[in-house]
Amino acid sequence: MNVGDMVIVRNSCRTHCGKWNAMTGWVAYIDITLTHPIGVRFEGAKNENTGSGCFYFKEGDLLAFEVQPPKKEDAAMFK
């Protein structure tokens, strides 16, 4: 997992009392010295309890995925 990766929080995640389960965000910060080393940002949300504004998770709590570019047909619809 790398900074900039898009992730979804697994439904089985207990971190943050499950508040972010099934939510999509992006990895904004990684600090391997922390218990929950991966800092994730969510659109429209900021963690006021951290200087980075990230919500922190363990790698096993997250599922990284690749954002697919729009299909040629879909892109034409938005022109």
Side-chain angles (χ1 to χ4, degrees):
M1 200 164 298
N2 299 301
V3 171
D5 286 353
M6 294 296 298
V7 293
I8 188 165
V9 181
R10 294 180 186 270
N11 284 328
S12 60
C13 178
R14 302 266 187 249
T15 306
H16 304 290
C17 300
K19 177 181 178 181
W20 300 105
N21 290 9
M23 296 293 291
T24 302
W26 66 94
V27 176
Y29 187 79
I30 297 175
D31 184 347
I32 60 170
T33 65
L34 300 174
T35 304
H36 293 80
I38 302 172
V40 177
R41 295 294 305 260
F42 298 99
E43 187 70 35
K46 182 177 181 181
N47 188 345
E48 300 295 334
N49 297 321
T50 64
S52 66
C54 295
F55 296 88
Y56 287 86
F57 298 89
K58 293 180 181 178
E59 188 168 357
D61 293 336
L62 305 169
L63 179 62
F65 64 94
E66 187 174 323
V67 177
Q68 298 294 322
K71 294 179 184 174
K72 200 173 195 179
E73 303 85 34
D74 294 341
M77 290 186 343
F78 294 104
K79 285 186 178 180

